Amino acid sequence: MQSKINSFFKPSSPSTPTSVDPPKPIVPKEPRKGPSFAPKTLNKKRCYTQFHIELGQSDFLLRHCVECGATYAPGDESDEKNHQSFHKDYMNGIPFKGWQNERAFTSPSLDKNRVVMILENDSPAHRNKMMEVELGEDWILHKHCKVYLFVSSQRISGCLVAEPIKEAFKIIAPLDDKRLLKKERSSPSTTIHFGDIVLQREVSKRCPESDDRLDNRAIVCEEEAKPAVCGVRAIWVSPSNRRKGLATQLLDTARESFSNGCVLEKSQLAFSQPSSLGRAFGFNYFGTSSFLVYKAQLSVPGPIL
């Protein structure tokens, strides 16, 4: 038994050296013909994506434009492109290259601009164009209307819809109307003289609606009707072209061309239920807030003799 144990713990004899094969010569391989599968370095353009964090914003998904009133999704390329196109048309006017046969009125006061008149018997292309103008509801137009388009820089910057009427009612002027006119007429001179040199001072004119003289007031008219010829059913000017006299030029053109052979007086014009902005414009155009107004009919009227 002891001999078995000793033989178990007996160190093993060194192994006999084994023969080592000499290293084989390295033979270069011939290049493989055909497509190469080696990795290629591609010059790819990096793509950056804008991420947004939602923290309870009211306009996170949709944004409302305070100028044109459109709602769009920021970050959506097609949606932003549509908004830019609509915003430009709303602020500057609808694109208009003109027609071959058009009733155009030009004058020195219009400079390089013109006013185009459209009637009911005009071609469908002419009548469809005026439907693109932002005038409100469909009741604005009927077959007796005459539409005046103010064209500037190949865009429709303003529009006026006029209709024939027989009578209108005069607004009762507020008590402070005369005091307001007297104050404006007694304004100081805008010229300063230094010998032979005359300097013109620039004066910014405030509209009456800015100090709430005409806002939030009910229209009170006289009971007796006054004769009238032309009723202004609607008037519109693109936002970027307001305060430039376009509405005044549209009204002057309508007075000169509405009745064949005569120029209408301002007292023969009437506004259809003017808003606060319309009353402010009427105040500036007529020189008083006591001008004529009438109630436009929603249905198409019969023939006016």
Side-chain angles (χ1 to χ4, degrees):
M1 184 67 180
Q2 186 66 31
S3 61
K4 291 182 179 180
I5 295 174
N6 294 335
S7 64
F8 179 81
F9 288 100
K10 186 179 180 179
S12 60
S13 59
S15 58
T16 58
T18 58
S19 60
V20 179
D21 297 335
K24 297 181 180 180
I26 300 176
V27 180
K29 296 182 179 180
E30 296 182 359
R32 182 185 298 179
K33 297 182 180 180
S36 176
F37 296 96
K40 296 182 179 180
T41 304
L42 301 179
N43 232 348
K44 288 187 176 181
K45 189 177 181 180
R46 292 186 178 181
C47 180
Y48 297 94
T49 303
Q50 177 68 47
F51 292 93
H52 304 271
I53 301 178
E54 182 180 2
L55 298 175
Q57 306 96 315
S58 59
D59 60 345
F60 178 72
L61 297 178
L62 296 177
R63 185 169 299 172
H64 179 75
C65 181
V66 296
E67 293 183 340
C68 67
T71 303
Y72 64 98
D76 189 330
E77 185 177 355
S78 61
D79 216 18
E80 288 189 347
K81 186 177 181 181
N82 293 334
H83 168 248
Q84 292 175 1
S85 177
F86 176 80
H87 186 92
K88 185 176 181 180
D89 293 346
Y90 178 85
M91 296 298 295
N92 301 325
I94 301 171
F96 178 70
K97 295 182 179 180
W99 298 309
Q100 186 174 2
N101 298 320
E102 60 181 18
R103 300 181 187 88
F105 301 93
T106 58
S107 66
S109 61
L110 294 175
D111 197 13
K112 296 181 180 180
N113 307 318
R114 69 185 187 279
V115 176
V116 178
M117 184 173 67
I118 304 175
L119 302 178
E120 173 62 24
N121 56 0
D122 285 352
S123 65
H126 293 196
R127 287 185 277 109
N128 292 337
K129 193 64 180 180
M130 61 186 180
M131 299 302 295
E132 301 179 19
V133 182
E134 188 72 21
L135 290 177
E137 304 296 334
D138 296 337
W139 65 268
I140 293 292
L141 299 173
H142 59 76
K143 62 182 180 180
H144 298 296
C145 288
K146 294 184 178 181
V147 180
Y148 297 86
L149 304 178
F150 190 97
V151 182
S152 175
S153 301
Q154 294 187 347
R155 285 185 176 272
I156 299 176
S157 304
C159 177
L160 182 145
V161 181
E163 65 177 341
I165 59 175
K166 292 182 178 180
E167 62 181 17
F169 297 88
K170 191 174 184 180
I171 298 177
I172 298 177
L175 296 177
D176 59 348
D177 185 28
K178 293 182 180 180
R179 292 196 296 267
L180 181 60
L181 288 176
K182 184 177 179 181
K183 182 179 178 180
E184 289 188 353
R185 290 172 183 172
S186 60
S187 58
S189 175
T190 59
T191 57
I192 303 176
H193 297 266
F194 291 97
D196 297 334
I197 302 175
V198 179
L199 301 178
Q200 185 73 23
R201 183 176 59 184
E202 183 178 354
V203 178
S204 59
K205 188 177 181 181
R206 296 178 61 189
C207 294
E209 79 273 12
S210 60
D211 49 11
D212 295 334
R213 287 191 177 95
L214 298 177
D215 281 356
N216 302 323
R217 290 185 180 181
I219 300 178
V220 182
C221 303
E222 298 177 356
E223 296 183 359
E224 182 182 358
K226 303 292 183 182
V229 177
C230 177
V232 179
R233 198 171 176 89
I235 188 169
W236 168 86
V237 175
S238 59
S240 64
N241 291 290
R242 292 171 185 172
R243 307 285 188 266
K244 297 181 181 180
L246 271 67
T248 298
Q249 293 174 343
L250 283 170
L251 272 178
D252 291 341
T253 304
R255 287 172 48 213
E256 296 170 0
S257 59
F258 189 81
S259 296
N260 296 329
C262 65
V263 178
L264 299 180
E265 299 292 336
K266 290 185 178 181
S267 59
Q268 295 176 295
L269 297 178
F271 283 2
S272 168
Q273 304 173 3
S275 61
S276 59
L277 293 177
R279 294 175 65 183
F281 170 69
F283 179 90
N284 292 331
Y285 185 79
F286 295 103
T288 177
S289 59
S290 183
F291 51 87
L292 296 179
V293 296
Y294 76 103
K295 186 176 181 179
Q297 299 296 327
L298 299 182
S299 59
V300 179
I304 299 179
L305 303 178

